Amino acid sequence: MASYEDVMSLSVRRGFLWPAVELYGGFAGFYDYGHNGALLRRHWEDAWLEHFLGLNDNYYLIDTTTILPHAALKASGHVDHFTDLLVTCTRCGESYRADHLLEDATHEEHEGLSAEETDARIKAAGVRCPKCKGELGPSRPFNMMFPLTVGPTGKDPAFLRPETAQGAFLNFKREFEALRRRLPMGLAIVGRAYRNEISPRQGTYRMREFLQAELQIFFDPEAFADQVPYASVADTPVRLCWAAEKNEATAHELPAKDLVARGLPSWYAYHMVQVQRFYLEILHIPADRFRFAELDEKERAFYNKVHFDVQVRQDSLGGFKEVGGVHYRTDHDLTGHEAGSREKQSVTVGTKKVAPHVLELSFGVDRNVWALLATGFTPGERATLRLPPRLSPVGVAVFPLVNKDGLPERAESLYALLRRRFTTFYDDAGSIGKRYARMDEIGTAFCVTVDHDTLEGRGVTLRDRDSQKQVRVAEADLPSRLERLLAGDAAFGDLA
Amino acid sequence: MASYEDVMSLSVRRGFLWPAVELYGGFAGFYDYGHNGALLRRHWEDAWLEHFLGLNDNYYLIDTTTILPHAALKASGHVDHFTDLLVTCTRCGESYRADHLLEDATHEEHEGLSAEETDARIKAAGVRCPKCKGELGPSRPFNMMFPLTVGPTGKDPAFLRPETAQGAFLNFKREFEALRRRLPMGLAIVGRAYRNEISPRQGTYRMREFLQAELQIFFDPEAFADQVPYASVADTPVRLCWAAEKNEATAHELPAKDLVARGLPSWYAYHMVQVQRFYLEILHIPADRFRFAELDEKERAFYNKVHFDVQVRQDSLGGFKEVGGVHYRTDHDLTGHEAGSREKQSVTVGTKKVAPHVLELSFGVDRNVWALLATGFTPGERATLRLPPRLSPVGVAVFPLVNKDGLPERAESLYALLRRRFTTFYDDAGSIGKRYARMDEIGTAFCVTVDHDTLEGRGVTLRDRDSQKQVRVAEADLPSRLERLLAGDAAFGDLA
């Protein structure tokens, strides 16, 4: 299993991701994606869109601005409430996030505390400045949004958006009118969000600029239960832990219907199953590394009526860590914007007037990329990154066995053919073993080698990353074979 | 040909794009993409990546932060030079971009003037405040970047990036080491850029937040000419106008070799041909609406040694308008960051030390989307959006002829099959004529109708948007036919 250093070292060495702006001494909380990371992330996005937009033919991708005016974020509550508690050292002036300081000192969680409670606990635990041991000042709320002004006068305050969700809420009415005037209606956004974190840390886990993939599902609370095919998943075991067990490395398996029996809405349980399918069947996260973790009333946002985090266990980050969430936001968002804008947000479906509720499926894309690297990578002499074939940065690599006898020309023309359909990489440098090793390390599932038998019309060898087995495939069959392998419609073992 | 109002009306009505945050009275210079616009834009991105990364197997996609620290943008020259001249009315306080005011008053271009020259021309032309007719104050430089601070202390100044290009320059050395240590090396970024425009206008033409697709090609100036297959395009006619003709609705066709004879580097001419191919063959822009427009020394950035804009003629925007550019930036960027960071930016290729030069292929994605809508849309009773099939938001629509006799069930199962491979839309609302009309208006190239003959095993009808012709296709052949049609590998006429 890969440590934090293993993941970061692979990431930097092979162009997945690295700290941004190192040329100017670094830029805490910001990461850039290199050539392999950008492809892995784009493939993740494609898979996410296909799976979640595929849940209903009334779910759509939109894209909205990353800068929002003050009025919109005032109405959403972010201007007043999107804060963390900040403490500053009275001696050296260094600032810290209060709950993180307390966590580091006491090894317990301290979420949802007031400033007074926090100060009391800091005092009780005798926490001082980790840098200079000076005394800490009183904690105060610090708004995590980045403020800026728009236009030449400097009088129009705005913020970088702290979440993509607001873009969907602001466009709900307009999309409802442009579409089929039907509920449920889903609006997905894959885009940047920004949080001025007091102490960014743990690689791509807590960043100041990050990518979110969120689907906001607007629904009629009286009708939604009858609109999702819950019965088809009622017996599916769901892996989860309850709020009280959240800090333990544990997970239960309960059929979806048991969750409903305990009070979860059936449409909520249905979407948990779909999220779990995405992680287990599409991302190939091992089941024992996946779970939902319930948040209690104190931990979850006050407007979330039901809230489970989606977690993946990663040694590199110290255990189960959040990569997404399933949030029942009720009608909080639309009523907030209705009050703020004085524009009615209810809609007429058929003859019925409905004030839609929202179910949010929210994912941190960078956290997902990290989780794929962290759970897929085995370091060592035969370093291998086990990614699902369709997510690998490179789908297929093409090699000439040796650089003579016309093999490079034959391999290059095969490469030119394959790259029209797949992300393809050509390599003729070094021994064939070294070339396989380089591809194993970046997760390339299949390598094709052109050898002397190829020139005699006896096909090429196709090598499988995980089993290291090779089979001989006729050149004419190669594109269709690769297509099925990369789509996950066939397994390598079926070819042998 | 579509007017500005035609394009905007289509965009809003059918969910391509619309002014952002209308709920709170609008947000000048910001646009949101609706469900059809988001797909059209993503398909444009896919086509762009395939074409331009396909030019060389050492060209790659990366992704970098949209916030950059002061030091990086100081070294790039943006802190000191990324300005427009601003004039403010001494009576009402309204601010204007000086060159736009002069242009509106004199109908001539006024680029590259100093503040003194601008003030003199404003005085000579008797320009006053368009709003209140008050006297205008002196013009002064206004930096178009959005400033912000990072971290809790407020002491670390940063900016939203004004162009994606800097991300490629900052990562050049690291990618060179992680890749094959070969030149040319290309780094592409598709991402947001931000400019605090004094007066945003003309729809998505001049926005404050916009999407760029840029490819920075790093090359050895002594070797590049021998590394591109220029000979294969030397006779290709290139459509262009010279700097002196830029304001006229004209274009010449000159073989690439004539451009080289006039002093353009052959690698520059080669890339002009590739850009032109993208517009004519992939985006299907009519040839008479496309041209390169040379910029003279005064108009182009001082560090650009050769600079042609890429332009598309659009009635909706008043003529030929910039949608991209081909910029020979010399070694300006890497030497700037070398001086700013004191880190050597030269590299060793084989045994030779090289200070790379940069050729930038730069595109405004929103401007391209607008150009596709503006040149493709024919308003009126048979309103039709002629998009290349692979770019259309919806690839194929599926209809039951009537909502009875088992046709809907059969159509739905066909829809379920097709949507696994194509962006597919199901519609059973209204007459079949109305359904075709709705698809024509959003550019859906192909519609499949299930009728009573389908139930008898006699296939489905496949209708072509542009010719309105229909052919009968066996259901088993449909996926492969559609695949070839949507990829542009076959024409509808070939099926009949």
Side-chain angles (χ1 to χ4, degrees), chain A residues 71-124:
Chain A
L73 291 162
K74 176 78 181 173
S76 70
H78 286 89
V79 170
D80 296 322
H81 303 298
F82 197 66
T83 55
D84 273 340
L85 287 175
L86 177 77
V87 287
T88 303
C89 173
T90 58
R91 191 195 293 170
C92 75
E94 186 75 19
S95 291
Y96 303 94
R97 200 172 132 176
D99 58 342
H100 284 176
L101 262 195
L102 270 172
E103 268 171 50
D104 291 346
T106 65
H107 304 289
E108 287 168 19
E109 291 216 0
H110 300 267
E111 284 192 49
L113 300 182
S114 70
E116 293 70 32
E117 290 168 325
T118 300
D119 290 342
R121 289 206 195 173
I122 284 180
K123 206 171 164 187

Side-chain angles (χ1 to χ4, degrees), chain A residues 377-448:
Chain A
F377 187 55
T378 308
E381 221 174 298
R382 284 211 42 80
T384 303
L385 178 60
R386 286 187 179 78
L387 293 173
R390 65 177 292 189
L391 291 186
S392 298
V394 172
V396 54
V398 178
F399 311 143
L401 182 64
V402 291
N403 282 315
K404 56 181 184 183
D405 305 335
L407 296 186
E409 292 74 11
R410 188 68 172 257
E412 274 171 28
S413 76
L414 185 60
Y415 164 68
L417 175 80
L418 294 180
R419 74 184 297 202
R420 293 190 56 203
R421 297 173 65 170
F422 315 106
T423 321
T424 311
F425 185 83
Y426 182 83
D427 195 1
D428 60 7
S431 72
I432 196 83
K434 278 204 179 128
R435 283 180 261 167
Y436 284 141
R438 280 200 290 268
M439 289 298 103
D440 288 344
E441 202 184 10
I442 64 165
T444 306
F446 305 107
C447 295
V448 172

Side-chain angles (χ1 to χ4, degrees), chain A residues 141-182:
Chain A
F142 172 75
N143 194 300
M144 286 193 294
M145 292 195 293
F146 286 101
L148 45 83
T149 64
V150 171
T153 65
K155 285 182 201 144
D156 295 319
F159 299 92
L160 292 179
R161 66 180 177 197
E163 59 178 18
T164 61
Q166 296 304 322
F169 305 142
L170 291 170
N171 281 284
F172 164 69
K173 260 307 248 309
R174 217 154 25 173
E175 278 292 356
F176 186 82
E177 296 303 327
L179 285 164
R180 302 157 187 247
R181 297 194 181 81
R182 248 177 42 195

Side-chain angles (χ1 to χ4, degrees), chain A residues 287-329:
Chain A
D288 66 343
R289 296 193 169 278
F290 175 87
R291 73 177 187 188
F292 293 99
E294 187 193 32
L295 263 59
D296 65 27
E297 216 166 321
K298 207 159 185 182
E299 296 165 321
R300 67 186 188 236
F302 71 92
Y303 50 80
N304 278 343
K305 203 165 160 186
V306 190
H307 181 152
F308 280 83
D309 278 349
V310 179
Q311 297 186 330
V312 174
R313 185 163 54 81
Q314 302 161 67
D315 300 358
S316 60
L317 297 177
F320 274 109
K321 294 294 260 186
E322 177 189 355
V323 294
V326 182
H327 312 136
Y328 174 26
R329 300 176 69 124

Side-chain angles (χ1 to χ4, degrees), chain B residues 373-488:
Chain B
L373 296 174
T375 59
F377 187 55
T378 308
E381 221 174 297
R382 284 210 42 80
T384 303
L385 178 60
R386 286 185 178 78
L387 293 173
R390 66 177 290 189
L391 292 186
S392 298
V394 172
V396 55
V398 178
F399 310 144
L401 182 64
V402 292
N403 283 316
K404 55 182 183 183
D405 305 336
L407 296 186
E409 292 74 12
R410 188 69 171 256
E412 273 170 28
S413 77
L414 185 59
Y415 164 69
L417 175 80
L418 294 179
R419 75 184 298 202
R420 292 190 55 202
R421 297 173 64 170
F422 315 105
T423 322
T424 311
F425 185 83
Y426 182 85
D427 195 2
D428 60 7
S431 72
I432 195 83
K434 277 203 182 132
R435 284 180 261 167
Y436 284 142
R438 280 199 290 267
M439 288 298 104
D440 288 345
E441 203 183 11
I442 63 164
T444 306
F446 306 107
C447 294
V448 172
T449 300
V450 168
D451 57 22
H452 292 93
D453 282 354
T454 309
L455 302 183
E456 310 293 326
R458 289 198 287 273
V460 295
T461 62
L462 179 64
R463 173 185 178 271
D464 176 49
R465 174 194 67 206
D466 294 342
S467 66
Q468 298 183 47
K469 284 191 181 145
Q470 301 189 13
V471 292
R472 207 130 195 123
V473 176
E475 277 181 275
D477 296 341
L478 194 62
S480 62
R481 291 282 176 96
L482 283 171
E483 186 148 271
R484 297 184 58 225
L485 287 169
L486 287 168

Side-chain angles (χ1 to χ4, degrees), chain A residues 235-427:
Chain A
D235 293 320
T236 306
V238 178
R239 300 183 53 81
L240 62 85
C241 71
W242 304 108
E245 310 162 312
K246 201 170 69 82
N247 296 318
E248 294 164 34
T250 187
H252 313 278
E253 277 204 349
L254 285 179
K257 64 186 175 200
D258 285 15
L259 298 176
V260 175
R262 284 180 183 234
L264 280 193
S266 61
W267 46 259
Y268 190 96
Y270 169 80
H271 284 91
M272 289 176 86
V273 171
Q274 294 301 341
V275 169
Q276 180 175 284
R277 271 194 55 211
F278 180 66
Y279 280 89
L280 303 191
E281 295 171 26
I282 296 171
L283 302 188
H284 295 187
I285 300 293
D288 66 343
R289 296 193 169 278
F290 175 87
R291 73 177 187 188
F292 293 99
E294 187 193 32
L295 263 59
D296 65 27
E297 216 166 321
K298 207 159 185 182
E299 296 165 321
R300 67 186 188 236
F302 71 92
Y303 50 80
N304 278 343
K305 203 165 160 186
V306 190
H307 181 152
F308 280 83
D309 278 349
V310 179
Q311 297 186 330
V312 174
R313 185 163 54 81
Q314 302 161 67
D315 300 358
S316 60
L317 297 177
F320 274 109
K321 294 294 260 186
E322 177 189 355
V323 294
V326 182
H327 312 136
Y328 174 26
R329 300 176 69 124
T330 70
D331 61 352
H332 169 76
D333 305 288
L334 291 184
T335 54
H337 285 301
E338 184 165 301
S341 68
R342 294 183 199 164
E343 296 274 350
K344 284 269 172 245
Q345 295 299 304
S346 54
V347 293
T348 304
V349 181
T351 57
K352 184 184 177 191
K353 198 162 170 185
V354 181
H357 282 214
V358 170
L359 174 65
E360 172 182 79
L361 309 183
S362 172
F363 303 85
V365 182
D366 314 280
R367 291 178 176 185
N368 273 268
V369 167
W370 185 277
L372 283 169
L373 296 174
T375 59
F377 187 55
T378 308
E381 221 174 298
R382 284 211 42 80
T384 303
L385 178 60
R386 286 187 179 78
L387 293 173
R390 65 177 292 189
L391 291 186
S392 298
V394 172
V396 54
V398 178
F399 311 143
L401 182 64
V402 291
N403 282 315
K404 56 181 184 183
D405 305 335
L407 296 186
E409 292 74 11
R410 188 68 172 257
E412 274 171 28
S413 76
L414 185 60
Y415 164 68
L417 175 80
L418 294 180
R419 74 184 297 202
R420 293 190 56 203
R421 297 173 65 170
F422 315 106
T423 321
T424 311
F425 185 83
Y426 182 83
D427 195 1

Side-chain angles (χ1 to χ4, degrees), chain A residues 24, chain B residues 75 330-341 343 345 355-356:
Chain A
Y24 292 91
Chain B
T330 70
D331 61 351
H332 169 75
D333 305 288
L334 291 184
T335 55
H337 284 301
E338 183 165 303
S341 68
E343 297 274 348
Q345 294 299 304

